[in-house]
Amino acid sequence: MTSERRRSPRVSLEVDVGLTTEDNFFAATTRDVSAGGLFIACPIGLEHGTAVKVKLALGKKTHELTTRVAWVLNDDDGKPVGFGVEFEGLSAAAARAIATFVTKRDPMAFGIVSAHDDDDEDVAEASTEPPSASPPPLPKS
């Protein structure tokens, strides 16, 4: 049985993000966020430990976040479908925006886990989707 290893609750957040690595740049979509990081749905296989710059819009503000790949999710055929990143050195403004967003949303319920100033109203506008008990399914590759 796999246990929940997260230190912070996560909430659904499905927004487009810009990603930059040392070698490339591309677009992807987030699936969830917590105070510690993001899950990014993306068919590009990044190695554990890869540094990734993420441009994340919360409300009217876009934050450039420094992250590192913490884990990779592959489908049954071994093809990458996404990865989790941990935040590194968040600015105070980005940390506040993420914390405010997370506290305004209901946490996602998971029983088993697989392998400068921001206004509250800006954060509240980040998603108009109602909170869900589980993330939307990942597409089959």
Side-chain angles (χ1 to χ4, degrees):
M1 179 172 161
T2 305
S3 64
E4 180 70 43
R5 295 177 296 177
R6 284 174 187 73
R7 290 166 277 204
S8 306
R10 62 181 170 163
V11 297
S12 178
L13 174 65
E14 194 167 330
V15 297
D16 292 335
V17 289
L19 306 174
T20 306
T21 65
E22 184 177 299
D23 302 320
N24 211 344
F25 61 92
F26 46 97
T29 304
T30 64
R31 295 242 346 260
D32 60 61
V33 62
S34 75
L38 294 165
F39 178 76
I40 300 171
C42 181
I44 298 185
L46 295 179
E47 296 291 322
H48 180 270
T50 301
V52 182
K53 295 280 187 184
V54 178
K55 285 189 180 183
L56 172 68
L58 288 175
K60 298 174 186 167
K61 304 209 186 225
T62 299
H63 302 275
E64 288 200 29
L65 310 172
T66 300
T67 71
R68 189 160 302 277
V69 175
W71 56 277
V72 177
L73 179 64
N74 294 319
D75 66 14
D76 292 339
D77 295 326
K79 295 178 185 169
V81 293
F83 49 90
V85 295
E86 292 179 316
F87 299 131
E88 293 186 337
L90 278 180
S91 70
R96 277 193 309 274
I98 292 165
T100 300
F101 181 82
V102 169
T103 59
K104 288 184 177 283
R105 301 287 301 260
D106 289 332
M108 297 169 68
F110 286 88
I112 297 175
V113 176
S114 302
H116 321 296
D117 290 341
D118 288 300
D119 296 322
D120 286 350
E121 83 179 28
D122 288 346
V123 175
E125 292 173 8
S127 175
T128 57
E129 295 294 319
S132 68
S134 62
L138 288 170
K140 277 278 195 192
S141 297

